[in-house]
Amino acid sequence: MSSLNWTTDLLNQLVSENITAEQISLPSTTLWQIESIHWQHYAELAIQQNVRWVAGWAEHVQDRFFINACFEKQGIYVLLRTIVNVAKPELPSQATVYPAANRSERHTQDMFGINFIGHPDNRRWTRHKAWAKHNYPLRKDFPLQGEPEAITPPDIDYPFVKAYGAGVYEIPVGPVHAGIIEPGHFRFQAVGELILNLEERLGYVHKGIEKIAEGRTPESLARLAGRISGDTTVGHCWAACRAMEQAAGVEIPPRAALIRGILAERERVANHLGDMGGICNDVAFVFAQMQFTRLRELWLRTNATIFGHRLLMDRIVPGGVVCDLSEASCALIKEDIILLRKELSEIMPAIDLNSSLEDRLYTAGYLSPEIASAFGTLGYVGLASGQDKDVRRDAPYPPYDQATFKVALEDQGDIASRFWVRYKQINAALKLIAQFIERLVAGDILAEWQTPPPGSESLSMIEGWRGEITAYIRFDADNKIARFYPRDPSILNWPALEKLTLNNIVPDFPVCNKSLNGSYSGNDL
Amino acid sequence: MLQLFKKILTTGIVTEKYKAPKDDELEKLGIQIKRHIDKKFSGSIAIRAIDAGSCNGCELEIHALNNPYYDIERFGIHFVASPRHADVLLVTGPVSRHMQTALLRTYEATPNPKWVVAVGECAACGGEFGVSYASCGAVSNVIPVDMVVAGCPPTPLALMKGLLGLINK
């Protein structure tokens, strides 16, 4: 028998197996605490009910580690927690059940020294050579400055997967790439031009974001969150602020929520315009690249005029926003929407009818719905492979709780699908911006901050332009941050790239990569 | 195909001109840049952009230099794929420790004479990230820097001004 809410079913199942899940109430978050020996079994029960693995992270509290994993189905999120002793930091792995948890557990292993027993691939992930094997940066006794060498040696002995056989060869790419892009390493095994295997090696832009977040004030944390991934400055800043606001019991004014919505949708449009041009450019269709970069530039200039920053950094602050919208600004935004619609109505048919583009983008970089689901892929990557997820609809937060829009969905799973999902999302975003302007009520844009009691914690979900962003916050005394964990959608999307490039040719890798466009910085933290 | 040609024709050339009412500063700057480049590098400089740990914000604005409004190549400034072809290294980010060797090697691979431009707050002073177990902070902590373009991120116009400042040195 299944009830409407999956959590009831799962709780019943836990009870029937004599597993105690202590239910702890947190602001806007359901927290279940279980014993560490049941960690993996919980995952097995959850996956049977098609519950999605969302995020995983740990925290060092005195002589214990809190280990967290977040799960979702039907827009209902559950935070699962277990506690292990620092003296014996081990628990069964969930990555054996959920491939999505794989890299996250490796990150936790590197940063805390927690051993996930039975992990299918426990090679180091975030750690290169900046700190020693038995040092763990996110333990409280690890000093912020660490003990780095004058020159950190290159990570030359990472045990990559090897392929052998006649005609098989290896192509190492990066960390410094040929274009103007972020650094990371890709290791290809190929025969002729055919890709047999691709292995990603990320972590090059690890900047210690989780460590330097500790001890910050809410304002300072918002600034840091706005720099987790520069293209998602609105998304991450909003997620962090929302988590802090929930923890502190601060309600933002309705006007601030609407302006945040406008900022987030403008960020979505700007990035999708850039990506659509980029995808076409990677198959040498320069017409589209020129048109889309032109439209993106116009869009960013409006951002600068209205909000005072082209990429909209630091517009969202704890308690609200810092930029109000005048009547004239609203009129300008509306004009902008009309203009963009007209431009796209001329450009898109020219692209749609182009047979060269069709040849390169259709069927290329195919990601099956099964793999997309196993990795928990998000945003346009998941949507293009039939993963019908959108936080704005599934677990709506203001101002989306009163908005109507259609979630773009495709099922072909190829680069073309990921291209068209972006286009549909632009259209939906333009409608949303218009709705938010219509609904713009008079009033404050910033609520007064209240210092939360020590230990207050919360989890927030925001639909960024790449998909669901998750942010976890725990406060210390005196309004200081004890723990901040941001989960960029890229963390779940990156592994899908290793799969969708298989059986493509090496020269198609750039367009495959662009169609996914993961954030390196958001992944490496 | 007809629709494509029609769009190209109706779009026209959007590249901003010297006497254009908006952003005339841009063209002025560009022309000055060109004069200086002519003197030192026979009319062209090749730039290698390196992200040494940035959040990707700076890269977005460096990208914008190539959009049809700025079209920086018309001034003889172009981006190259290899440091061996470069005159200028445009470095962004606080230098993450994991990128330190890669940056040093890229610097060594660039032939003399070479200039290093540190782009953005993080590259200039470490920004939000500073120096830590994971970050070396400012680019100048790792390689010699000739010029800093501040801003978080610097606008495309600021980047153009920065390049001019460098060439004026």
Side-chain angles (χ1 to χ4, degrees):
Chain A
M1 201 182 82
S2 79
S3 61
L4 279 173
N5 186 335
W6 65 272
T7 57
T8 317
D9 291 345
L10 198 56
L11 276 178
N12 288 341
Q13 214 165 350
L14 290 173
V15 169
S16 72
E17 302 201 18
N18 284 328
I19 298 173
T20 324
E22 190 188 344
Q23 296 181 58
I24 300 165
S25 143
L26 294 181
S28 315
T29 308
T30 308
L31 169 65
W32 296 352
Q33 196 163 303
I34 60 172
E35 277 184 72
S36 62
I37 48 162
H38 303 308
W39 193 246
Q40 189 176 63
H41 189 56
Y42 173 92
E44 286 164 354
L45 297 177
I47 206 167
Q48 280 168 19
Q49 298 206 25
N50 292 318
V51 173
R52 178 172 64 98
W53 186 93
V54 176
W57 67 98
E59 187 182 358
H60 187 183
V61 182
Q62 285 147 2
D63 58 349
R64 298 178 303 172
F65 291 122
F66 288 15
I67 294 139
N68 303 292
C70 179
F71 296 82
E72 181 267 355
K73 190 184 170 183
Q74 299 155 340
I76 299 163
Y77 289 81
V78 168
L79 173 57
L80 184 74
R81 175 170 298 162
T82 192
I83 297 175
V84 298
N85 240 307
V86 170
K88 201 184 173 209
E90 57 179 39
L91 75 168
S93 164
Q94 289 187 337
T96 51
V97 182
Y98 281 100
N102 190 311
R103 288 181 182 173
S104 170
E105 288 186 356
R106 288 168 71 187
H107 176 73
T108 301
Q109 161 198 283
D110 288 358
M111 303 306 283
F112 288 92
I114 293 168
N115 178 20
F116 289 91
I117 299 161
H119 192 290
D121 173 12
N122 63 358
R123 289 175 296 169
R124 59 202 162 84
W125 176 245
T126 307
R127 178 171 63 83
H128 290 199
K129 302 279 179 182
W131 64 93
K133 191 177 177 185
H134 296 295
N135 289 342
Y136 306 107
L138 287 178
R139 289 194 179 186
K140 295 289 184 195
D141 52 1
F142 184 97
L144 174 62
Q145 292 304 323
E147 294 169 347
E149 293 177 51
I151 296 174
T152 300
D155 187 32
I156 48 169
D157 52 2
Y158 182 76
F160 284 101
V161 172
K162 298 281 179 198
Y164 300 97
V168 178
Y169 67 104
E170 198 173 79
I171 314 171
V173 181
V176 179
H177 297 298
I180 307 168
I181 51 170
E182 299 182 80
H185 184 92
F186 300 108
R187 187 66 64 98
F188 297 93
Q189 320 286 339
V191 169
E193 288 293 323
L194 193 72
I195 298 171
L196 293 182
N197 191 46
L198 161 64
E199 197 175 353
E200 294 158 4
R201 176 79 182 118
L202 303 178
Y204 284 92
V205 285
H206 174 70
K207 297 185 277 288
I209 287 175
E210 291 167 273
K211 186 81 175 175
I212 59 176
E214 292 173 10
R216 289 198 177 218
T217 62
E219 297 75 33
S220 166
L221 187 83
R223 278 186 64 83
L224 180 66
R227 284 155 185 81
I228 289 166
S229 177
D231 50 32
T232 319
T233 179
V234 173
H236 273 291
C237 195
W238 192 350
C241 285
R242 184 165 161 77
M244 290 191 284
E245 286 151 6
Q246 286 175 170
V250 172
E251 189 95 24
I252 65 165
R255 188 174 176 86
L258 288 160
I259 294 175
R260 283 184 179 183
I262 294 168
L263 291 168
E265 297 308 318
R266 288 195 67 90
E267 178 171 88
R268 194 181 319 277
V269 171
N271 280 298
H272 285 344
L273 287 173
D275 275 7
M276 287 167 76
I279 289 170
C280 294
N281 192 49
D282 280 343
V283 292
F285 189 61
V286 181
F287 163 77
Q289 161 79 344
M290 285 298 140
Q291 294 291 343
F292 284 116
T293 55
R294 180 176 66 84
L295 297 179
R296 177 180 155 91
E297 176 66 23
L298 289 173
W299 195 254
L300 297 188
R301 286 181 181 194
T302 305
N303 281 351
T305 309
I306 296 177
F307 300 103
H309 194 283
R310 284 164 56 95
L311 304 182
L312 308 172
M313 273 179 176
D314 306 325
R315 305 299 99 175
I316 293 179
V317 294
V321 293
V322 289
C323 47
D324 206 349
L325 281 176
S326 64
E327 289 283 327
S329 298
C330 292
L332 182 56
I333 291 177
K334 281 195 237 172
E335 271 170 46
D336 233 26
I337 293 175
I338 295 168
L339 185 76
L340 184 60
R341 276 189 199 287
K342 182 174 172 292
E343 292 271 8
L344 289 172
S345 73
E346 291 163 4
I347 296 166
M348 295 312 287
I351 287 176
D352 199 16
L353 293 173
N354 189 284
S355 53
S356 306
L357 206 54
E358 200 174 304
D359 249 8
R360 296 293 301 276
L361 302 186
Y362 283 85
T363 71
Y366 174 70
L367 181 69
S368 71
E370 294 74 32
I371 293 176
S373 164
F375 285 123
T377 51
L378 295 164
Y380 48 80
V381 179
L383 290 164
S385 291
Q387 305 304 303
D388 193 5
K389 295 280 169 203
D390 191 317
V391 188
R392 295 173 296 172
R393 178 201 59 197
D394 303 337
Y397 44 97
Y400 298 99
D401 50 352
Q402 289 172 47
T404 46
F405 75 105
K406 222 172 138 186
V407 174
L409 192 66
E410 295 258 335
D411 56 3
Q412 289 175 356
D414 54 7
I415 296 173
S417 275
R418 292 189 279 280
F419 179 88
W420 287 101
V421 163
R422 284 171 165 100
Y423 175 59
K424 289 180 184 176
Q425 285 200 337
I426 289 178
N427 280 326
L430 296 180
K431 281 185 193 153
L432 282 167
I433 295 171
Q435 282 182 32
F436 296 154
I437 287 183
E438 284 311 309
R439 285 170 46 201
L440 214 52
V441 285
D444 289 341
I445 54 167
L446 196 57
E448 201 181 328
W449 187 255
Q450 295 158 17
T451 300
S456 306
E457 55 182 321
S458 189
L459 182 67
S460 81
M461 271 66 62
I462 293 289
E463 186 77 10
W465 72 274
R466 279 195 182 89
E468 171 203 69
I469 296 168
T470 310
Y472 171 80
I473 290 282
R474 179 202 291 276
F475 275 98
D476 219 331
D478 301 327
N479 212 22
K480 296 284 166 58
I481 301 296
R483 178 76 171 113
F484 171 51
Y485 176 72
R487 204 275 286 121
D488 190 89
S490 308
I491 289 176
L492 295 176
N493 285 349
W494 270 119
L497 181 66
E498 292 186 341
K499 302 296 172 200
L500 67 86
T501 46
L502 296 180
N503 296 318
N504 284 262
I505 56 171
V506 178
D508 269 350
F509 173 71
V511 67
C512 287
N513 191 13
K514 190 73 203 175
S515 77
L516 183 129
N517 195 10
S519 164
Y520 298 69
S521 184
N523 180 84
D524 298 350
L525 295 179
Chain B
M1 212 53 172
L2 277 177
Q3 273 167 308
L4 190 152
F5 288 132
K6 189 179 161 213
K7 186 65 194 167
I8 291 175
L9 282 172
T10 54
T11 303
I13 297 169
V14 298
T15 309
E16 288 167 336
K17 300 238 167 65
Y18 180 47
K19 285 197 175 164
K22 289 178 224 160
D23 284 355
D24 56 341
E25 202 189 359
L26 162 69
E27 186 77 10
K28 217 184 324 188
L29 269 176
I31 281 174
Q32 274 175 288
I33 292 172
K34 179 120 177 66
R35 280 197 204 116
H36 288 285
I37 295 167
D38 282 348
K39 231 189 270 172
K40 294 225 172 172
F41 277 101
S42 307
S44 96
I45 57 168
I47 297 178
R48 177 73 187 104
I50 307 158
D51 175 342
S54 115
C55 73
N56 198 32
C58 291
E59 278 62 41
L60 296 175
E61 294 298 55
I62 295 172
H63 260 295
L65 291 174
N66 288 319
N67 78 34
Y69 284 96
Y70 303 105
D71 191 21
I72 198 168
E73 277 218 36
R74 70 188 146 140
F75 305 120
I77 298 175
H78 62 286
F79 289 87
V80 293
S82 168
R84 298 194 194 283
H85 306 159
D87 308 308
V88 171
L89 295 181
L90 215 54
V91 188
T92 61
V95 181
S96 74
R97 296 204 184 269
H98 291 167
M99 277 301 287
Q100 192 179 9
T101 298
L103 177 62
L104 282 166
R105 287 183 181 176
T106 308
Y107 180 74
E108 281 156 20
T110 310
N112 283 316
K114 58 190 164 195
W115 290 323
V116 174
V117 184
V119 171
E121 288 303 314
C122 300
C125 65
E128 279 297 313
F129 304 99
V131 177
S132 73
Y133 79 92
S135 162
C136 305
V139 174
S140 59
N141 293 345
V142 179
I143 54 173
V145 169
D146 299 283
M147 170 78 205
V148 167
V149 184
C152 186
T155 61
L157 268 177
L159 286 164
M160 281 211 178
K161 275 186 198 168
L163 289 169
L164 174 69
L166 173 76
I167 295 160
N168 256 334
K169 245 185 136 174

